[in-house]
Amino acid sequence: MDSTARLIKQVTALLAAALAMTASGIAGAVPKPESGMGLPRDVSEHGHHIDWLIEVTMVFVVILFVIMVIWMVWACFAHDEKHAAEYDHGDSKHSVKTALALSAVIFFVVDGNLFYNSTTDTFRLFWNHDALETDAKAVRIEVNAHQWAWDARYAGPDGKFNTKDDVITLNDIRVPVGAPVLLQLVSPDVIHSFYLPNLRVKQDAMPGMTNRLWFQAKETGDFDIGCAQHCGVHHYKMKGMLTVLPPDEFKNWLNEQSAIATRGYDPKDTEAHWGWEWRARN
Amino acid sequence: MGAIVPYPPPRARQEWTAYLGMVIFLGSWAMMFGSLFFAYGMVRARATAWPPPDLPELPLALPGVNTAVLAASSVMLQLAVRWLRVGKTRWVGPGLAASLALGTLFLCLQMVTWRRLLDEGLTPSGGPYPSVFYALTCFHALHVLVGIGALAWLCRGAFVGKYSAARFLPVRLWAMYWHFVGAVWGVMFVTVYVV
Amino acid sequence: MELQHIHPEPTSFLRKHLFSTDHKVIAKQFLWAGLLFLAFGGGLAMLIRWQWAFPGEPVPVVGSMLFQQSGGAITPAHYNTIFTMHGLIMIFFAITPIMIGAFGNFCIPLMIGARDMAFPLLNMLSFWTFLVSQGLIIASFFVQLGSAAAGWTTYAPLSTNVGTPGAGQTLVVAAVFVTGVATIMGGINYVTTVVRLRAPGMTYMRMPATVWGLWLTAILNVLFVPVLGSAALLLLLDRSFGTQFYIAGSSAVRGGGDPILFQHLFWIFGHPEVYILILPPWGFVTDLVSFFARKPAYWYKGSVMAMTGVTVLSAVVYGHHMFVTGMNPLLGQSFMTLTLIISVPAELLFLNWLHTIWKGSIRLTAPMLFALGTVFVFGLGGLTGLFLGTISTDLYLHDTMFVVGHFHLTMAAAAFLASFAAIYFWFPKMFGRNMNQTLAKWHFWFSVIFITLVFCGQLVAGYGGHQRRLYDPYQYTFLQHMQPLNRWTSYFGFILAASQVTFVVNWFQSIFAGSKAEQNPWEIGTLEWTVPSPPVHHNFDVIPTVHRGPHEYANPEVKKALGRDWIGQSEELPKSGKAPAEPAAAAS
Ligand code: HEA
Ligand code: HEA
Ligand code: CUA
Ligand SMILES: [Cu+2]
């Protein structure tokens, strides 16, 4: 039991080491491959809350499972056919109390921990979009997920969406490091799911709805954007790249792109006007 | 091994079994219709205007009359069951026939409603509003059709004297079904046409 | 509907073996139909595993036949059809008919002391309706554009004509509807039979846990399959008549139908469905661990209450499949809370099983091994459910292979092993012949080891963030290092499939040439073992009177009176302590 906990710690430590190693050599043109059998490296400000909860629960679960297996194997050997069975219906007050108490303990420790931490993390962080709507630092991006690509739109210097100076990209989302990024997600065809494995977030893009998602990167580099919801033949190819840039680099890029976009703006190209006015609240 | 002992349960016992089967079936089917109503509710909840201004409105008068027709059909059927139980066997055939006729009338009036709405331009593919309307009413009409078939069959049986106070189970079971179909219509009338 | 009368046994071949209303014959029909589709679904699983081990490479042996246009390699479109149909076939057309169709039919009347189901004719119709749905499934593979490809969950709008045109998807949705009707027919029958036809003395708290599991399953089926039915119905209308239930208007403007509606309807059914697939195994396991530990089931009443509790709760947790759809946060929170609560009854069941085998006198027969294997894999699978049940962790794990690993361990592995536990246990009663125990044990060890390895491989991949339903996972940089893992998982899968030969051989050999089975080879006290193997057409010459619960083992009084460690449910315990002159029904 103890040794399993230790094992898990070791694996986690190994992971951390792998993480540090890969983190030292960032800023290639393609995402760095992962290694090892654990969670992919976490480059988000808040992902460690999820990782911690997963890992702690993993320890609990492994302990329970090991107890269960030992119990079963032990019983099979110690109480085989040579052992005389005990006549016990297990419905005495004492037995019932034991059974209930044991389940209650498991419930309050394992599920209770999950419940408490998930609730606080979810409402304080991951689903707390409202706090970001008012955050001036937050970078806003509109994402149009469609078969089979991610279109992204930045408001440009005027701060308004669906205007001349919008920056529109394809499968290429760039964000500044250290600033919260707020996305509004839509889909014109089928359901997709915007998934950043290295930032531990995921949100469906639903036709007919505007969904929100936010994250904050703490490291620069290139990371995969995946589609997590089956969306047709080329679901597997619906891949984008998230590039986390130093803030000034991001600013330069945005301004540059905006200038190009303004120059090339074509009012008749209605296809390109898929954006919408930012929706403060659903 | 001893002799084979039959275990003929009392009649009441068998009837209970059959009723229970029917009740479970109707409960199950209620879940089916319930889900359709749930779908209706969700689709309606997200619509900005209901009914959409550019579509013809559903009539109230004809379906209202139709509700009365179906209710009357149920009443006739229930009377037939009662007559059967108290031994007025002679009345059963006409009672069932009346119920059958009213059920058929319901379906005819329903077809008139559809026809008119189609002429006015309310087609099933015209958006969620007509989708709900046609899906719910047609699915219900299908159940009415089954009921009509059953009533016709019962009617034939009654006129050849198949049923009596001692043998009225089929009539009783189909009556349960028919009341259910009527009740579903009641809910449908209120939710789809009225509100 | 002369329920407990004795129908004369039909004499014509057709009425006896094909259009039979005898629950025992129908059970065998379901078993065959289910096993054949299990092999079909298993074959499709092998194609999935091939693709992930060797993406885009021609499939050996069968590839040139199945995928002619692409030179024997699986294409993305094929791949979508393969996993969709694998999921649907396994759930609706393999495991459901085996556990519920076959063992529900076989066990319920025999174990409660009835001569047949309450509505034998309905029972027969249920099987033939089911067969029609299987026919539709097969037909769907031969139409243009092939079979369904929108995932087993059939999410709209992908499953509407917008995402999946072609008759194949329509046929499959129709097949799901039809099999739903068959299931409801069966469900009505099972529920009524248990309520009405229990033998005298067979109170609810004396019913074998198997019957409890099957009965609760039937209740869930009757209540929730209709919801799937209406979801499928509306989808068919959207596909064929242009209605707009699931097709949303353009994204920027709200309006039109609602894709979320489908998910609500699907999961209102879908979550109870997963318990539909686990309640019968729970029942089997509760009985089998007691039978073969030769010890009463520990706190039987608690197990029954736990199963009932899960049945009730299963209706109100479905939202945990929809955490990332943009659900209202408070709603999400409620579903999360309920999901965590549903793990309590499961924990109770586990404790009861573990306590049952503790201090028993365990006989590791094939059914017992499979029952313990079920506990093992279900424990693993159930515990992984916890990670998915909480919102913040599910944000990362949703739609990854972790979910796939979770449900294969709970559903595929547990239901798969439990089905075999049931087959090995009741085979002698069903067919009147014994199965080869050595082969059965080989089958067990191969199955349990490799099924665990395969599905743990899925879990590990999912832990690393591997999405599900990817034709070629290695498109993603962050998944490239998983190729060796996936390849190993695939090898384990191939071994698992190959090792099923031990079962197939045993099955055919035993059916045609097995040694004749005794009436009560396992020395078990439930009612089905008081009749010959196979039972006569009307099951019981005399409807038995039940005196006690199903798990009366190691009772010292019985030992003193009868000299054995078990006593039948309908057997009378002699007062004086002498052995009775003629043991009532049990030992004839
Ligand atoms: C038989 C089928 C089955 C069963 C029984 C379960 C059981 C459970 N499932 Fe699972 N589930 C599925 C089949 C099943 N599931 C399927 C098919 C899907 C995915 C469908 C799809 O998307 O395609 C799914 C998906 C799924 C999700 C959605 C994930 C996602 O898509 O993001 C969630 C989330 O909450 C979940 C949770 C649970 C929970 C909490 C249980 C609980 O009931 C588990 C309870 C059990 C335990 C808690 C273990 C018992 C305790 C022990 C072993 C300890 C014993 C030790 C000692 C006593 C010492 N399941
Ligand atoms: C109960 C249901 C069940 C069962 C038993 C299985 C069994 C298996 N499943 Fe499956 N699976 C699903 C239900 C099931 N699965 C579902 C619902 C999905 C999701 C689909 C979706 O995403 O839409 C899925 C998806 C799924 C995937 C993910 C695909 C993807 O996301 O892209 C994978 C990948 O490894 C997989 C693998 C396997 C394997 C290796 C087995 C093996 O265990 C199979 C081994 C079995 C055999 C090889 C058959 C042996 C045959 C016999 C014993 C019969 C003998 C016959 C006679 C005597 C006549 N399954
Ligand atoms: Cu988009 Cu999958
Ligand atoms: Cu669920």
Side-chain angles (χ1 to χ4, degrees), chain A residues 31 40 79 83 85-87 89 95 103 111 127 195 202-204 211 224 227 230 235 239 279, chain C residues 149 252 298-299 324 340 343 348 359-362 395-396 398 465 469 475 477-478 552-554:
Chain A
H79 305 147
H83 177 269
E86 192 177 78
Y87 182 62
H89 277 279
S95 310
S103 341
D111 297 44
W127 279 1
Y195 171 41
K202 189 178 286 136
Q203 179 67 55
D204 282 1
N211 276 341
D224 279 312
C227 179
H230 176 40
H235 160 59
K239 175 179 96 153
R279 301 198 178 102
Chain C
Y298 193 84
W299 198 23
V324 306
L340 290 175
S343 65
L348 205 63
K359 294 195 180 160
S361 173
I362 298 171
L395 291 183
Y396 172 64
H398 174 72
R469 298 165 168 174
Q475 291 276 324
T477 316
F478 83 104
E552 216 37 52
Y553 298 92

Short mmCIF file of all heavy atoms in Angstrom, two decimals, chain A residues 31 40 79 83 85-87 89 95 103 111 127 195 202-204 211 224 227 230 235 239 279, chain C residues 149 252 298-299 324 340 343 348 359-362 395-396 398 465 469 475 477-478 552-554:
data_model
loop_
_atom_site.label_atom_id
_atom_site.label_comp_id
_atom_site.label_asym_id
_atom_site.label_seq_id
_atom_site.Cartn_x
_atom_site.Cartn_y
_atom_site.Cartn_z
N PRO A 31 5.18 21.47 -32.00
CA PRO A 31 5.11 21.12 -30.59
C PRO A 31 6.16 20.08 -30.24
O PRO A 31 6.49 19.22 -31.06
CB PRO A 31 3.71 20.54 -30.44
CG PRO A 31 2.94 21.06 -31.59
CD PRO A 31 3.92 21.27 -32.69
N PRO A 40 0.32 14.71 -19.97
CA PRO A 40 1.21 15.54 -20.78
C PRO A 40 1.64 16.76 -19.96
O PRO A 40 0.98 17.12 -18.99
CB PRO A 40 0.35 15.95 -21.97
CG PRO A 40 -1.06 15.72 -21.55
CD PRO A 40 -1.04 14.68 -20.50
N HIS A 79 -8.97 -19.62 2.33
CA HIS A 79 -10.28 -20.21 2.57
C HIS A 79 -10.73 -21.01 1.38
O HIS A 79 -11.80 -20.82 0.84
CB HIS A 79 -11.28 -19.10 2.92
CG HIS A 79 -10.84 -18.25 4.06
ND1 HIS A 79 -11.12 -16.92 4.16
CD2 HIS A 79 -10.09 -18.54 5.15
CE1 HIS A 79 -10.59 -16.42 5.27
NE2 HIS A 79 -9.95 -17.39 5.88
N HIS A 83 -11.01 -25.34 3.81
CA HIS A 83 -11.46 -24.53 4.92
C HIS A 83 -12.97 -24.70 5.08
O HIS A 83 -13.70 -24.75 4.10
CB HIS A 83 -11.11 -23.06 4.62
CG HIS A 83 -11.58 -22.10 5.66
ND1 HIS A 83 -12.80 -21.49 5.61
CD2 HIS A 83 -10.97 -21.63 6.78
CE1 HIS A 83 -12.92 -20.68 6.65
NE2 HIS A 83 -11.82 -20.75 7.38
N ALA A 85 -16.56 -23.51 5.71
CA ALA A 85 -17.20 -22.20 5.58
C ALA A 85 -17.91 -21.82 6.87
O ALA A 85 -18.44 -22.68 7.57
CB ALA A 85 -18.18 -22.21 4.41
N GLU A 86 -17.90 -20.54 7.12
CA GLU A 86 -18.59 -20.05 8.32
C GLU A 86 -20.04 -19.77 7.96
O GLU A 86 -20.33 -19.24 6.89
CB GLU A 86 -17.89 -18.76 8.75
CG GLU A 86 -18.27 -18.27 10.11
CD GLU A 86 -17.47 -17.03 10.45
OE1 GLU A 86 -17.82 -15.95 9.95
OE2 GLU A 86 -16.46 -17.16 11.17
N TYR A 87 -20.94 -20.12 8.85
CA TYR A 87 -22.35 -19.85 8.57
C TYR A 87 -22.68 -18.46 9.07
O TYR A 87 -22.88 -18.24 10.25
CB TYR A 87 -23.23 -20.90 9.25
CG TYR A 87 -24.70 -20.70 8.96
CD1 TYR A 87 -25.17 -20.80 7.66
CD2 TYR A 87 -25.60 -20.42 9.98
CE1 TYR A 87 -26.52 -20.61 7.38
CE2 TYR A 87 -26.96 -20.24 9.71
CZ TYR A 87 -27.40 -20.34 8.40
OH TYR A 87 -28.73 -20.15 8.12
N HIS A 89 -24.85 -14.93 7.73
CA HIS A 89 -25.60 -14.20 6.72
C HIS A 89 -25.21 -12.73 6.67
O HIS A 89 -25.72 -11.98 5.84
CB HIS A 89 -27.11 -14.33 6.97
CG HIS A 89 -27.68 -15.58 6.42
ND1 HIS A 89 -28.03 -15.71 5.11
CD2 HIS A 89 -27.95 -16.78 7.00
CE1 HIS A 89 -28.50 -16.93 4.89
NE2 HIS A 89 -28.46 -17.60 6.02
N SER A 95 -22.53 -6.60 11.72
CA SER A 95 -22.05 -6.70 10.33
C SER A 95 -22.54 -5.54 9.49
O SER A 95 -21.79 -4.94 8.72
CB SER A 95 -22.54 -7.99 9.69
OG SER A 95 -22.28 -9.08 10.52
N SER A 103 -18.21 1.72 3.93
CA SER A 103 -18.55 2.45 2.70
C SER A 103 -18.59 3.94 2.98
O SER A 103 -18.20 4.74 2.13
CB SER A 103 -19.89 2.05 2.11
OG SER A 103 -20.32 0.84 2.56
N ASP A 111 -14.56 10.32 -2.27
CA ASP A 111 -15.52 11.15 -2.98
C ASP A 111 -15.58 12.56 -2.39
O ASP A 111 -15.74 13.54 -3.10
CB ASP A 111 -16.93 10.53 -2.95
CG ASP A 111 -16.97 9.18 -3.65
OD1 ASP A 111 -16.04 8.39 -3.41
OD2 ASP A 111 -17.89 8.91 -4.41
N TRP A 127 -14.73 27.37 -14.59
CA TRP A 127 -15.99 27.83 -15.16
C TRP A 127 -16.32 29.26 -14.73
O TRP A 127 -17.43 29.71 -14.87
CB TRP A 127 -17.14 26.89 -14.77
CG TRP A 127 -17.20 25.68 -15.65
CD1 TRP A 127 -16.34 25.38 -16.66
CD2 TRP A 127 -18.15 24.63 -15.61
NE1 TRP A 127 -16.70 24.19 -17.25
CE2 TRP A 127 -17.80 23.71 -16.61
CE3 TRP A 127 -19.27 24.36 -14.82
CZ2 TRP A 127 -18.53 22.54 -16.86
CZ3 TRP A 127 -19.99 23.21 -15.05
CH2 TRP A 127 -19.62 22.30 -16.06
N TYR A 195 -9.89 21.47 -27.53
CA TYR A 195 -9.17 20.70 -26.51
C TYR A 195 -7.71 21.08 -26.52
O TYR A 195 -7.04 21.00 -27.55
CB TYR A 195 -9.37 19.21 -26.82
CG TYR A 195 -8.54 18.24 -26.03
CD1 TYR A 195 -8.33 18.40 -24.66
CD2 TYR A 195 -8.00 17.11 -26.65
CE1 TYR A 195 -7.60 17.48 -23.95
CE2 TYR A 195 -7.27 16.18 -25.94
CZ TYR A 195 -7.06 16.37 -24.59
OH TYR A 195 -6.33 15.45 -23.90
N LYS A 202 -11.12 21.93 -22.01
CA LYS A 202 -11.88 21.36 -23.11
C LYS A 202 -13.27 21.97 -23.09
O LYS A 202 -13.83 22.21 -22.03
CB LYS A 202 -11.98 19.85 -22.89
CG LYS A 202 -12.55 19.09 -24.05
CD LYS A 202 -12.55 17.62 -23.75
CE LYS A 202 -11.16 17.00 -23.82
NZ LYS A 202 -10.91 16.10 -22.70
N GLN A 203 -13.78 22.29 -24.26
CA GLN A 203 -15.12 22.83 -24.32
C GLN A 203 -15.72 22.53 -25.68
O GLN A 203 -15.06 22.73 -26.70
CB GLN A 203 -15.10 24.34 -24.07
CG GLN A 203 -16.44 25.01 -24.13
CD GLN A 203 -17.35 24.58 -22.99
OE1 GLN A 203 -16.98 24.68 -21.84
NE2 GLN A 203 -18.51 24.05 -23.35
N ASP A 204 -16.96 22.06 -25.68
CA ASP A 204 -17.62 21.77 -26.95
C ASP A 204 -17.97 23.05 -27.69
O ASP A 204 -18.33 24.05 -27.07
CB ASP A 204 -18.92 20.99 -26.72
CG ASP A 204 -18.66 19.53 -26.42
OD1 ASP A 204 -17.48 19.14 -26.39
OD2 ASP A 204 -19.64 18.79 -26.22
N ASN A 211 -20.37 28.98 -26.73
CA ASN A 211 -19.77 28.46 -25.51
C ASN A 211 -18.50 29.22 -25.18
O ASN A 211 -17.88 29.83 -26.05
CB ASN A 211 -19.47 26.98 -25.65
CG ASN A 211 -20.70 26.14 -25.36
OD1 ASN A 211 -21.63 26.62 -24.73
ND2 ASN A 211 -20.69 24.91 -25.82
N ASP A 224 -0.35 21.48 -29.22
CA ASP A 224 -1.43 20.97 -30.07
C ASP A 224 -2.78 21.49 -29.62
O ASP A 224 -3.07 21.56 -28.42
CB ASP A 224 -1.48 19.43 -29.99
CG ASP A 224 -0.44 18.78 -30.89
OD1 ASP A 224 -0.36 19.18 -32.05
OD2 ASP A 224 0.25 17.86 -30.42
N CYS A 227 -9.29 18.32 -31.63
CA CYS A 227 -10.75 18.25 -31.60
C CYS A 227 -11.10 16.96 -30.87
O CYS A 227 -10.63 15.89 -31.23
CB CYS A 227 -11.33 18.22 -33.00
SG CYS A 227 -13.13 18.09 -32.97
N HIS A 230 -16.15 13.61 -31.93
CA HIS A 230 -16.24 13.03 -33.27
C HIS A 230 -17.07 13.94 -34.17
O HIS A 230 -18.21 14.26 -33.85
CB HIS A 230 -16.91 11.67 -33.15
CG HIS A 230 -17.16 11.00 -34.47
ND1 HIS A 230 -16.26 11.05 -35.51
CD2 HIS A 230 -18.20 10.26 -34.90
CE1 HIS A 230 -16.75 10.37 -36.54
NE2 HIS A 230 -17.92 9.88 -36.19
N HIS A 235 -12.30 14.05 -38.61
CA HIS A 235 -12.18 14.43 -37.21
C HIS A 235 -10.72 14.35 -36.74
O HIS A 235 -10.22 15.23 -36.06
CB HIS A 235 -13.08 13.52 -36.38
CG HIS A 235 -12.76 13.43 -34.94
ND1 HIS A 235 -12.74 14.53 -34.11
CD2 HIS A 235 -12.42 12.38 -34.15
CE1 HIS A 235 -12.43 14.15 -32.88
NE2 HIS A 235 -12.23 12.86 -32.89
N LYS A 239 -6.82 19.57 -36.42
CA LYS A 239 -5.75 19.85 -35.48
C LYS A 239 -5.30 21.28 -35.70
O LYS A 239 -5.20 21.74 -36.82
CB LYS A 239 -4.62 18.88 -35.78
CG LYS A 239 -3.39 19.07 -35.00
CD LYS A 239 -2.39 18.02 -35.40
CE LYS A 239 -1.43 18.57 -36.44
NZ LYS A 239 -0.12 17.91 -36.42
N ARG A 279 -20.37 38.49 -27.13
CA ARG A 279 -21.56 38.37 -26.28
C ARG A 279 -21.14 38.36 -24.83
O ARG A 279 -20.48 37.43 -24.38
CB ARG A 279 -22.29 37.08 -26.59
CG ARG A 279 -22.71 37.02 -28.03
CD ARG A 279 -23.79 35.99 -28.27
NE ARG A 279 -24.15 36.05 -29.68
CZ ARG A 279 -23.72 35.16 -30.58
NH1 ARG A 279 -22.97 34.17 -30.22
NH2 ARG A 279 -24.06 35.30 -31.84
N ALA C 149 -21.98 5.91 -39.09
CA ALA C 149 -20.62 6.36 -38.81
C ALA C 149 -20.58 7.52 -37.82
O ALA C 149 -19.57 8.17 -37.68
CB ALA C 149 -19.92 6.77 -40.11
N ALA C 252 -24.34 31.74 -35.37
CA ALA C 252 -24.35 33.09 -34.82
C ALA C 252 -25.75 33.51 -34.41
O ALA C 252 -25.92 34.25 -33.47
CB ALA C 252 -23.76 34.06 -35.82
N TYR C 298 -23.25 -12.44 1.95
CA TYR C 298 -23.13 -11.54 3.08
C TYR C 298 -24.12 -10.40 2.94
O TYR C 298 -24.16 -9.71 1.93
CB TYR C 298 -21.70 -11.00 3.11
CG TYR C 298 -21.32 -10.30 4.39
CD1 TYR C 298 -20.86 -11.02 5.49
CD2 TYR C 298 -21.39 -8.92 4.49
CE1 TYR C 298 -20.50 -10.39 6.65
CE2 TYR C 298 -21.03 -8.28 5.65
CZ TYR C 298 -20.59 -9.02 6.73
OH TYR C 298 -20.23 -8.38 7.89
N TRP C 299 -24.91 -10.17 3.93
CA TRP C 299 -25.92 -9.11 3.95
C TRP C 299 -26.64 -8.99 2.61
O TRP C 299 -26.64 -7.95 1.96
CB TRP C 299 -25.29 -7.77 4.34
CG TRP C 299 -26.34 -6.79 4.79
CD1 TRP C 299 -27.58 -7.08 5.26
CD2 TRP C 299 -26.25 -5.35 4.77
NE1 TRP C 299 -28.26 -5.93 5.56
CE2 TRP C 299 -27.49 -4.86 5.26
CE3 TRP C 299 -25.27 -4.44 4.39
CZ2 TRP C 299 -27.74 -3.49 5.38
CZ3 TRP C 299 -25.53 -3.09 4.51
CH2 TRP C 299 -26.76 -2.61 5.00
N VAL C 324 -19.04 19.13 -20.66
CA VAL C 324 -18.36 20.14 -21.48
C VAL C 324 -19.23 20.65 -22.62
O VAL C 324 -18.74 21.23 -23.57
CB VAL C 324 -17.03 19.61 -22.06
CG1 VAL C 324 -16.14 19.09 -20.97
CG2 VAL C 324 -17.26 18.55 -23.11
N LEU C 340 -21.38 11.18 -7.63
CA LEU C 340 -20.53 10.69 -6.54
C LEU C 340 -21.34 9.83 -5.58
O LEU C 340 -20.86 8.83 -5.06
CB LEU C 340 -19.89 11.87 -5.81
CG LEU C 340 -18.83 12.61 -6.63
CD1 LEU C 340 -18.32 13.83 -5.88
CD2 LEU C 340 -17.68 11.69 -6.98
N SER C 343 -21.78 6.09 -6.20
CA SER C 343 -20.69 5.14 -5.94
C SER C 343 -20.85 4.46 -4.58
O SER C 343 -20.23 3.43 -4.33
CB SER C 343 -19.34 5.84 -6.04
OG SER C 343 -19.21 6.80 -5.03
N LEU C 348 -20.79 -0.65 -1.34
CA LEU C 348 -21.46 -1.59 -0.45
C LEU C 348 -21.49 -2.99 -1.07
O LEU C 348 -21.19 -3.99 -0.41
CB LEU C 348 -22.88 -1.10 -0.21
CG LEU C 348 -23.51 -1.56 1.08
CD1 LEU C 348 -22.72 -1.02 2.26
CD2 LEU C 348 -24.93 -1.08 1.16
N LYS C 359 -13.67 -16.30 4.70
CA LYS C 359 -14.03 -17.42 5.58
C LYS C 359 -15.02 -18.36 4.91
O LYS C 359 -15.84 -19.00 5.57
CB LYS C 359 -14.61 -16.92 6.90
CG LYS C 359 -13.57 -16.18 7.72
CD LYS C 359 -14.03 -16.03 9.14
CE LYS C 359 -12.97 -15.28 9.93
NZ LYS C 359 -13.51 -14.69 11.14
N GLY C 360 -15.00 -18.41 3.61
CA GLY C 360 -15.83 -19.39 2.93
C GLY C 360 -15.05 -20.67 2.73
O GLY C 360 -14.04 -20.92 3.40
N SER C 361 -15.56 -21.47 1.81
CA SER C 361 -14.85 -22.68 1.45
C SER C 361 -14.84 -22.69 -0.07
O SER C 361 -15.64 -23.32 -0.73
CB SER C 361 -15.60 -23.89 2.01
OG SER C 361 -15.01 -25.07 1.53
N ILE C 362 -13.90 -21.90 -0.61
CA ILE C 362 -14.01 -21.49 -1.99
C ILE C 362 -13.69 -22.61 -2.97
O ILE C 362 -12.65 -23.27 -2.87
CB ILE C 362 -13.11 -20.27 -2.25
CG1 ILE C 362 -13.59 -19.10 -1.38
CG2 ILE C 362 -13.12 -19.88 -3.71
CD1 ILE C 362 -12.66 -17.93 -1.37
N LEU C 395 -12.99 17.79 -17.27
CA LEU C 395 -12.64 18.75 -18.32
C LEU C 395 -11.42 18.26 -19.09
O LEU C 395 -11.29 18.49 -20.28
CB LEU C 395 -12.30 20.11 -17.69
CG LEU C 395 -13.46 20.88 -17.07
CD1 LEU C 395 -12.98 22.22 -16.57
CD2 LEU C 395 -14.58 21.06 -18.07
N TYR C 396 -10.53 17.61 -18.37
CA TYR C 396 -9.36 17.07 -19.05
C TYR C 396 -9.65 15.69 -19.65
O TYR C 396 -9.26 15.40 -20.78
CB TYR C 396 -8.19 16.97 -18.07
CG TYR C 396 -7.01 16.23 -18.63
CD1 TYR C 396 -6.32 16.74 -19.73
CD2 TYR C 396 -6.59 15.02 -18.09
CE1 TYR C 396 -5.25 16.05 -20.27
CE2 TYR C 396 -5.52 14.34 -18.63
CZ TYR C 396 -4.86 14.85 -19.72
OH TYR C 396 -3.81 14.17 -20.26
N HIS C 398 -12.56 14.09 -20.39
CA HIS C 398 -13.71 13.84 -21.26
C HIS C 398 -13.28 13.56 -22.70
O HIS C 398 -12.40 14.22 -23.23
CB HIS C 398 -14.66 15.04 -21.24
CG HIS C 398 -15.78 14.90 -22.21
ND1 HIS C 398 -16.81 14.02 -22.01
CD2 HIS C 398 -16.03 15.49 -23.40
CE1 HIS C 398 -17.65 14.10 -23.02
NE2 HIS C 398 -17.20 14.98 -23.90
N GLY C 465 -3.91 11.91 -22.41
CA GLY C 465 -4.66 12.89 -23.17
C GLY C 465 -5.15 12.41 -24.53
O GLY C 465 -5.71 13.19 -25.28
N ARG C 469 -11.80 7.98 -30.88
CA ARG C 469 -12.34 8.05 -32.23
C ARG C 469 -11.40 8.73 -33.22
O ARG C 469 -11.83 9.46 -34.10
CB ARG C 469 -13.68 8.79 -32.21
CG ARG C 469 -14.71 8.06 -31.36
CD ARG C 469 -15.88 8.94 -31.05
NE ARG C 469 -16.97 8.14 -30.47
CZ ARG C 469 -18.09 8.67 -29.99
NH1 ARG C 469 -18.28 9.96 -30.03
NH2 ARG C 469 -19.02 7.91 -29.49
N GLN C 475 -1.24 11.87 -35.83
CA GLN C 475 -1.27 13.21 -36.41
C GLN C 475 -0.86 14.25 -35.38
O GLN C 475 -0.30 15.28 -35.71
CB GLN C 475 -2.71 13.54 -36.83
CG GLN C 475 -3.23 12.75 -37.98
CD GLN C 475 -2.79 13.37 -39.28
OE1 GLN C 475 -2.72 14.58 -39.39
NE2 GLN C 475 -2.46 12.53 -40.23
N THR C 477 1.19 15.75 -32.41
CA THR C 477 2.55 15.61 -31.87
C THR C 477 2.52 15.04 -30.45
O THR C 477 3.33 14.19 -30.10
CB THR C 477 3.24 16.97 -31.86
OG1 THR C 477 2.99 17.61 -33.09
CG2 THR C 477 4.72 16.80 -31.64
N PHE C 478 1.55 15.52 -29.66
CA PHE C 478 1.58 15.08 -28.26
C PHE C 478 1.17 13.63 -28.09
O PHE C 478 1.22 13.11 -26.98
CB PHE C 478 0.74 16.02 -27.39
CG PHE C 478 -0.74 15.72 -27.39
CD1 PHE C 478 -1.33 15.09 -26.31
CD2 PHE C 478 -1.54 16.08 -28.47
CE1 PHE C 478 -2.70 14.82 -26.31
CE2 PHE C 478 -2.88 15.82 -28.47
CZ PHE C 478 -3.47 15.19 -27.40
N GLU C 552 -28.52 -20.70 1.29
CA GLU C 552 -28.45 -21.43 2.56
C GLU C 552 -27.31 -22.45 2.51
O GLU C 552 -27.52 -23.61 2.22
CB GLU C 552 -29.80 -22.09 2.80
CG GLU C 552 -30.30 -22.17 4.22
CD GLU C 552 -30.00 -21.00 5.13
OE1 GLU C 552 -30.30 -19.86 4.75
OE2 GLU C 552 -29.47 -21.21 6.23
N TYR C 553 -26.10 -21.97 2.77
CA TYR C 553 -24.95 -22.87 2.75
C TYR C 553 -24.32 -22.90 4.13
O TYR C 553 -24.45 -21.95 4.91
CB TYR C 553 -23.92 -22.41 1.71
CG TYR C 553 -24.52 -22.45 0.33
CD1 TYR C 553 -25.13 -21.33 -0.19
CD2 TYR C 553 -24.55 -23.63 -0.37
CE1 TYR C 553 -25.75 -21.37 -1.41
CE2 TYR C 553 -25.18 -23.69 -1.60
CZ TYR C 553 -25.77 -22.56 -2.11
OH TYR C 553 -26.39 -22.63 -3.32
N ALA C 554 -23.63 -23.99 4.40
CA ALA C 554 -22.85 -24.13 5.63
C ALA C 554 -23.71 -24.00 6.88
O ALA C 554 -23.21 -23.69 7.95
CB ALA C 554 -21.72 -23.10 5.67
#
